[in-house]
Each structure stands twice: as structure tokens, then as C-alpha cells.
Amino acid sequence: QGQLLAKSWSSLFGGQSGAALRGPIYSFNGRNILTDPLWPLRLAWHGSTPRGSHARRWDCQGWRSSGTAEGMATGLGEGRLLAGHRHNCSTP
């Protein structure tokens, strides 16, 4: 059994700005990314517009470590996963 992250699909992507995800989110190595200091920014990288379309200029596709490309990502504490902001693709 899993834990409930959001009440509905629409609340997960279009929820109120003060809403927060429910329960922990784990990395592949078992760390809770919402509390572990290894994840200081806690971003969900998605490359989408707020309406869910592909943000072609802001998806980090073709990113190189020496580049200055930006991609769309949202802080997990914001409550709206697609209410992203541009972040440098080199951001850990």
C-alpha cells in the first residue's frame, strides 16, 4: 500500500499555492527528499508550462554541464507541480 500524495489528479497539478504534498517522497536510494539535507532545493523538474504543455525552450533537453540552459522546475513545497519557474539546468 502506498501513501496518498494528493486528493486528486487536478489538486496535484492545479492545487492551491499553499497546498503541500502529503507523505514522504523517496529517491531511488531510499532517502526522503522532503527532509534529507542532500536535497537542499527539493525541486520537481518537469519541463512543462502551467497548463501541462511541453515548454520547449525550458526543458533542459540537450543540456551540457558547461551551458547556461534553463528548465522548468517547481519546489515540492509549493503545492502546484506545474507552477514552475526557470532554473539553471546545472542546479543539483
Side-chain angles (χ1 to χ4, degrees):
Q1 285 186 342
Q3 291 184 333
L4 181 66
L5 289 178
K7 290 182 179 181
S8 68
W9 182 260
S10 62
S11 70
L12 183 61
F13 293 103
Q16 297 185 6
S17 60
L21 294 174
R22 299 168 176 239
I25 298 176
Y26 294 101
S27 66
F28 290 108
N29 63 357
R31 294 176 181 261
N32 181 344
I33 66 171
L34 297 176
T35 59
D36 194 291
L38 183 65
W39 301 81
L41 294 181
R42 296 169 178 86
L43 296 173
W45 293 87
H46 50 75
S48 298
T49 67
R51 298 184 136 228
S53 300
H54 180 203
R56 294 179 201 276
R57 290 185 60 200
W58 315 112
D59 65 2
C60 292
Q61 185 173 347
W63 168 82
R64 302 289 183 265
S65 60
S66 61
T68 59
E70 291 183 315
M72 295 300 285
T74 301
L76 291 173
E78 290 186 35
R80 293 179 54 197
L81 287 183
L82 297 183
H85 306 284
R86 292 190 323 241
H87 293 271
N88 185 290
C89 295
S90 297
T91 302

